[in-house]
Amino acid sequence: MTIPVFPRTPVLSGTDAEKKRVEILDYFHATFDRYEQLFEVLSCDEAYYEKPIALRHPLIFYLGHTATFFVNKLLLAGLVDQRINPRFESMFAVGVDEMSWDDLNEARYDWPSVGEVKAYRVAVRETVGQLIRTQPLSLPIAWEHPWWIILMGIEHERIHLETSSVLIRQHRLKYVTAHPAWPPCRATGIAPKNDLVAIPAAQFRVGRNANDIDGPLACTYYGWDNEFGRHEAATAEFQASRYLVSNREFLEFVEAGAYADESLWPDEGAGWLRFTKAEHPAFWIREGGPWRLRLMLEEVPMPWDWPVEVNYHEAKAFCNWKARVSDAPVRLPTEDEWQALRAFAGIDALACGAEERSSRNTIPANLQLDHYASSCPVTEFAHGPLFDVIGNVWQWTETPIYPFDGFEVHAVYDDFTTPTYDGRHNIIKGGSWISCGNEALPASRYAFRRHFFQHAGFRYVVSSVPATAQASQYETDRLVSEYAEFHYGDEYFDVPNFPRALAQLAIAAMGDKPAVKALDLGCATGRASFELARHFAQVTGIDFSARFIGLGTRLAEQGRLRYTLVEEGELVVFKERSLAELGLDQVARKVEFFQGDACNLKPVFAGYDLIVAANLIDRLYNPKQFLETVHQRLNSGGLLLIASPYTWLPEHTKREAWIGGFKKDGETLNTFDGLTTILGEHFRLLRGPVSVPFVIRETKRKFQHTLSEVSIWERN
């Protein structure tokens, strides 16, 4: 059958805004359609609720997740002003990458029916489609443009088109069925003997400029935050395998007993090997007969000339084995070396069909769903003297993902990349047969945990130059580092530590009330959560920012954190803090952190004896809704501590949503008056208001000194 060409990620510049509007609307609907078409391969409703693997959600989550992403991000950006289904938009919001704060406890979920989620997707489609048809559009579309968020939702769904296909591939065969929209390749033959191609030394600059449309680092297409910034690199001459490693080439490694030889596997890989007891690649099957290969929807006789698909640990062990048997310095390429061989092969964005004039043409690579719904022979697509520089399967690199110089997070999606800057996520390059949109661009930078399976394989390089990692053991995100110092660092100008002071006020107000569960809402990097655990049996810290709670979870797990603080200009100082020196090491086990939206928390977050909302209400998009419903999460007689400097800003809270800080009917309405009016129905004022100071260090000579007004309320 002829497969319709899947629309490419749009160019963001141009002169005809209405033509661009139609193109983006087509891009949105085509993406939404293709994603739903993927789930049509599931054979029964049971397939939506049975987990393909233990460490991910069932597929019903992913059917809902991409739709709720649109609503949650558009709401945050102010492009829509109301939710479609608050329950779904909290249930399906978070939990896709084994992060410490991902909630994979199935007992906490009351999954809706497949029909309900499909009906929800219909409502989301209509909302987003109407937004695209009516929202004012000017060109170009850059990082801060409102339409950037619309494209963010579409590209996010394309990511999950691929990751969901991997989960379906890991599902039991009884849960999937053949589908005409997903035909695999049927070609196979004799695997080629791999050889090496010399890649010359190279110098290059990569990265993107968020505000540049025409320059060398132009923001021509939508991109994720990790692509932005600037990186200059030079690579020495090296050799690269002409082909991706085929199933046949990898078979030599399997038959050599390498899965039983831990000397070939670095510590993390050896731990994975012992845990899984793997003896061969996960998609290989041998049950008393010839080898077979699991595709997305079926098993087939092993196509030995297709690329092997493995995780990083297996690829790394193969290279170590290859180095041993060949007596050559064999290893995986670095990200920079992949860019060098890409340039050598002449692969650029045009090869991905991303330019408007070629957006309807298939490309000479197994990419963008242009050819197959599976891998294909490693000999099919030549790119210069190499094959499959892009497409077929992703290619593992030696490089843990790290930020380019000048990296900034996007305010609407601050947890896309920063949680992966942990030295545990390695970059994959080149894309697979189902990589579409932004994923298919050479500028893209995706990284996965080293034990994860994607449609990923590898090619190897031979180089006397060792691979080096650029990740730092110190937290270098400036805002996160400032909050690390604010919570765990020095005290300045004799002002007591603010999170500790709030925790002490709350504990004192509790008196002899029950102290079983406390919620630190807007916990930032978590100091108050740990301080509350001195008194409470269990403390939950929730923050909207994964950047912040990531630091708290690392501290809870490792007991120590390291971060950099700006002294002046480019000069920094390195700091280190531990829970032990703060007297908190014995209570860390009582603290858990989750990412969440204070205005739309999951129902499970309830039954608390205390809720602390520190410097939160003036950062919410709907503070009135939060205040009107927060009593539902407190036990009778429980306490609510609110602290805020009342710094109302339209970029955080639309003017009409402020609860104070303005004139009403000619009279001054301050925020405490607003609090009293809203909370009065379910609370009585127990203590306050009282001002509590705090200081945030920006540089060695610049500090923010602020007064936060604290009031403590008792639920009736």
Side-chain angles (χ1 to χ4, degrees):
M1 67 176 285
T2 301
I3 302 175
V5 173
F6 200 20
R8 316 304 194 215
T9 185
V11 173
L12 302 182
S13 56
T15 57
D16 190 336
E18 291 311 304
K19 180 181 177 182
K20 188 63 62 179
R21 182 192 303 275
V22 172
E23 181 185 359
I24 293 173
L25 184 62
D26 178 49
Y27 189 59
F28 164 67
H29 282 302
T31 302
F32 225 72
D33 288 343
R34 198 69 159 126
Y35 192 71
E36 292 177 349
Q37 199 173 51
L38 178 65
F39 287 82
E40 291 174 6
V41 307
L42 299 180
S43 61
C44 59
D45 281 3
E46 184 183 349
Y48 286 87
Y49 301 98
E50 182 78 17
K51 284 188 174 187
I53 59 173
L55 294 176
R56 307 298 284 269
H57 281 304
L59 285 162
I60 191 69
F61 172 88
Y62 298 95
L63 181 63
H65 172 66
T66 58
T68 62
F69 183 94
F70 274 107
V71 177
N72 287 331
K73 297 308 180 188
L74 293 172
L75 189 70
L76 186 62
L79 292 174
V80 298
D81 57 9
Q82 60 184 0
R83 295 191 170 279
I84 295 175
N85 186 320
R87 173 172 167 251
F88 286 10
E89 287 144 16
S90 62
M91 177 187 295
F92 294 128
V94 179
V96 296
D97 188 40
E98 291 185 20
M99 291 302 177
S100 303
W101 52 86
D102 286 351
D103 184 5
L104 297 177
N105 182 353
E106 290 301 297
R108 293 187 172 191
Y109 291 91
D110 180 17
W111 298 116
S113 70
V114 176
E116 287 176 307
V117 179
K118 288 182 176 179
Y120 173 76
R121 287 186 60 87
V122 170
V124 172
R125 183 196 287 264
E126 176 55 34
T127 296
V128 178
Q130 181 67 9
L131 188 67
I132 295 173
R133 286 189 291 270
T134 59
Q135 177 74 14
L137 173 59
S138 60
L139 299 176
I141 299 170
W143 175 279
E144 295 181 351
H145 196 293
W147 280 63
W148 190 264
I149 312 306
I150 297 172
L151 288 161
M152 178 185 288
I154 303 171
E155 295 292 352
H156 173 264
E157 187 148 57
R158 290 198 170 208
I159 292 175
H160 281 285
L161 179 69
E162 176 155 349
T163 56
S164 295
S165 77
V166 177
L167 290 174
I168 289 171
R169 190 177 182 184
Q170 293 171 298
H171 228 353
R172 287 188 280 175
L173 274 176
K174 73 173 187 175
Y175 288 137
V176 300
T177 186
H179 193 293
W182 301 98
C185 178
R186 298 299 181 187
T188 184
I190 298 173
K193 181 175 176 58
N194 220 339
D195 62 346
L196 297 171
V197 176
I199 310 298
Q203 288 186 313
F204 52 89
R205 182 175 64 180
V206 293
R208 306 177 72 186
N209 186 323
N211 299 306
D212 186 5
I213 294 297
D214 300 317
L217 302 181
C219 181
T220 310
Y221 313 103
Y222 178 85
W224 300 105
D225 55 9
N226 60 50
E227 301 166 25
F228 289 84
R230 175 177 176 146
H231 174 64
E232 296 184 0
T235 55
E237 181 180 352
F238 62 95
Q239 296 175 296
S241 62
R242 188 179 304 276
Y243 305 101
L244 298 174
V245 173
S246 67
N247 287 316
R248 172 63 68 186
E249 189 172 8
F250 200 83
L251 179 65
E252 300 174 36
F253 172 76
V254 174
E255 291 183 337
Y259 275 87
D261 184 355
E262 283 197 11
S263 67
L264 295 170
W265 303 72
D267 289 347
E268 184 183 337
W272 171 82
L273 195 63
R274 288 191 295 271
F275 177 76
T276 62
K277 298 179 173 56
E279 298 179 348
H280 53 75
F283 299 120
W284 287 21
I285 300 162
R286 191 178 194 179
E287 297 174 346
W291 286 107
R292 298 176 65 79
L293 182 67
R294 170 65 190 266
L295 307 184
M296 185 169 74
L297 302 179
E298 61 183 291
E299 291 178 7
V300 297
M302 181 64 71
W304 293 111
D305 58 337
W306 289 18
V308 70
E309 292 166 271
V310 292
N311 65 22
Y312 167 87
H313 298 312
E314 294 165 297
K316 176 71 171 176
F318 175 94
C319 289
N320 291 342
W321 170 79
K322 189 80 173 176
R324 178 187 293 176
V325 299
S326 67
D327 196 28
V330 179
R331 57 170 172 78
L332 294 172
T334 64
E335 182 187 23
D336 288 344
E337 288 168 336
W338 184 88
Q339 290 287 4
L341 65 86
R342 175 194 64 79
F344 169 73
I347 299 295
D348 58 18
L350 296 182
C352 297
E355 192 171 83
E356 283 181 303
R357 65 172 179 266
S358 60
S359 65
R360 294 294 179 179
N361 301 326
T362 59
I363 58 173
N366 191 10
L367 195 67
Q368 296 268 27
L369 284 172
D370 272 4
H371 301 280
Y372 312 110
S374 73
S375 302
C376 67
V378 298
T379 54
E380 184 164 346
F381 292 103
H383 301 139
L386 300 164
F387 287 76
D388 293 325
V389 172
I390 58 173
N392 218 355
V393 293
W394 287 98
Q395 300 168 47
W396 284 105
T397 74
E398 283 284 10
T399 307
I401 194 166
Y402 65 95
F404 286 160
D405 291 340
F407 165 80
E408 294 182 11
V409 299
H410 196 287
V412 175
Y413 196 4
D414 85 328
D415 56 322
F416 180 78
T417 303
T418 49
T420 67
Y421 291 151
D422 58 2
R424 300 176 183 176
H425 291 72
N426 274 49
I427 292 174
I428 53 177
K429 301 296 290 188
S432 77
W433 53 269
I434 196 173
S435 298
C436 305
N438 168 271
E439 283 189 302
L441 299 178
S444 72
R445 303 179 78 220
Y446 291 89
F448 284 88
R449 291 181 183 269
R450 292 186 274 265
H451 65 272
F452 264 30
F453 292 104
Q454 291 300 112
H455 305 298
F458 66 103
R459 65 175 0 104
Y460 49 85
V461 302
V462 174
S463 175
S464 59
V465 178
T468 56
Q470 302 192 46
S472 169
Q473 64 174 325
Y474 285 89
E475 176 60 68
T476 56
D477 182 303
R478 180 164 181 170
L479 182 62
V480 176
S481 292
E482 287 177 1
Y483 267 78
E485 180 70 1
F486 176 36
H487 279 214
Y488 303 100
D490 299 333
E491 295 180 358
Y492 298 97
F493 308 108
D494 298 321
V495 175
N497 181 277
F498 181 69
R500 185 181 64 214
L502 293 186
Q504 290 172 342
L505 283 172
I507 291 170
M510 290 295 297
D512 58 1
K513 289 176 177 288
V516 181
K517 291 173 58 180
L519 173 62
D520 183 10
L521 194 53
C523 64
T525 55
R527 176 65 181 273
S529 302
F530 292 115
E531 293 289 345
L532 290 170
R534 297 181 190 271
H535 184 71
F536 287 84
Q538 179 187 342
V539 180
T540 301
I542 296 179
D543 199 273
F544 190 80
S545 171
R547 299 154 67 197
F548 285 162
I549 60 172
L551 187 145
T553 55
R554 291 202 304 273
L555 191 56
E557 292 167 358
Q558 303 168 13
R560 186 173 299 276
L561 63 89
R562 301 178 177 89
Y563 54 97
T564 60
L565 290 176
V566 174
E567 290 279 90
E568 57 181 84
E570 298 178 349
L571 302 178
V572 298
V573 61
F574 298 91
K575 301 200 72 170
E576 182 174 329
R577 285 291 186 270
S578 70
L579 289 179
E581 64 190 277
L582 299 172
L584 296 168
D585 52 321
Q586 298 302 310
V587 300
R589 60 182 174 78
K590 298 194 289 183
V591 179
E592 60 180 356
F593 292 100
F594 294 99
Q595 186 182 14
D597 177 353
C599 294
N600 194 37
L601 292 176
K602 294 177 181 177
V604 69
F605 297 119
Y608 294 103
D609 301 305
L610 168 73
I611 296 177
V612 173
N615 294 354
L616 175 71
I617 61 168
D618 57 356
R619 291 295 182 268
L620 299 178
Y621 59 84
N622 195 341
K624 186 171 186 286
Q625 176 188 317
F626 165 71
L627 293 167
E628 287 178 338
T629 58
V630 67
H631 67 280
Q632 299 170 2
R633 303 183 184 277
L634 272 170
N635 294 327
S636 179
L639 300 187
L640 169 66
L641 183 151
I642 292 181
S644 175
Y646 308 147
T647 311
W648 298 105
L649 296 171
E651 56 263 39
H652 298 302
T653 313
K654 288 184 177 180
R655 169 62 181 77
E656 56 269 27
W658 296 3
I659 63 169
F662 55 86
K663 294 278 189 179
K664 182 178 181 180
D665 300 326
E667 300 294 330
T668 296
L669 179 68
N670 61 46
T671 303
F672 185 74
D673 293 335
L675 284 174
T676 301
T677 299
I678 298 170
L679 294 177
E681 183 176 354
H682 299 288
F683 292 90
R684 73 176 184 91
L685 180 63
L686 186 66
R687 295 189 184 177
V690 61
S691 292
V692 177
F694 64 88
V695 172
I696 296 179
R697 179 196 187 279
E698 294 186 24
T699 71
K700 185 177 181 179
R701 297 175 181 84
K702 184 182 179 185
F703 299 81
Q704 295 181 33
H705 181 225
T706 309
L707 295 179
S708 185
E709 186 168 273
V710 177
S711 53
I712 301 177
W713 307 78
E714 183 180 47
R715 183 184 171 185
N716 296 335

